[in-house]
Amino acid sequence: MRRVPILRQYSESMCLANNIDLIWLRLFYPYGIGQSSTSLIPSLEKAIINSEPYFNISSGDKVRDFIDVDKLAEFILIIC
């Protein structure tokens, strides 16, 4: 059985009851201006700028979807 988060379930039922279209977005790893310089994307960008021969990261067994916060805002505007 698939579990639906309570907020989403409530939102869907309220929108359905009031004939309102609902757009539910799942945001994964947005990054951009103001982000900690020690987080993954800024660290990778720094390594590229400094022409470092390698970049230390986790074992690579995780899959993550990163998106630039400006591109995310653009997509949200298009969808809405």
Side-chain angles (χ1 to χ4, degrees):
M1 181 170 109
R2 185 171 160 256
R3 296 186 65 170
V4 178
I6 293 171
L7 176 60
R8 181 174 174 184
Q9 187 177 30
Y10 176 78
S11 299
E12 287 173 344
S13 65
M14 291 301 294
C15 288
L16 184 62
N18 292 288
N19 197 29
I20 298 171
D21 291 330
L22 173 68
I23 298 172
W24 188 269
L25 302 174
R26 290 185 64 191
L27 308 179
F28 293 97
Y29 298 91
Y31 63 91
I33 295 173
Q35 182 171 356
S36 170
S37 63
T38 60
S39 62
L40 180 64
I41 299 297
S43 296
L44 177 59
E45 289 172 340
K46 181 180 175 186
I48 292 168
I49 289 168
N50 294 331
S51 300
E52 295 179 15
Y54 62 90
F55 179 72
N56 286 329
I57 194 169
S58 68
S59 63
D61 60 344
K62 295 176 178 65
V63 176
R64 295 190 174 118
D65 296 320
F66 291 93
I67 185 168
D68 179 79
V69 72
D70 292 329
K71 185 57 78 173
L72 176 60
E74 183 182 323
F75 289 155
I76 290 171
L77 290 173
I78 291 169
I79 290 170
C80 296

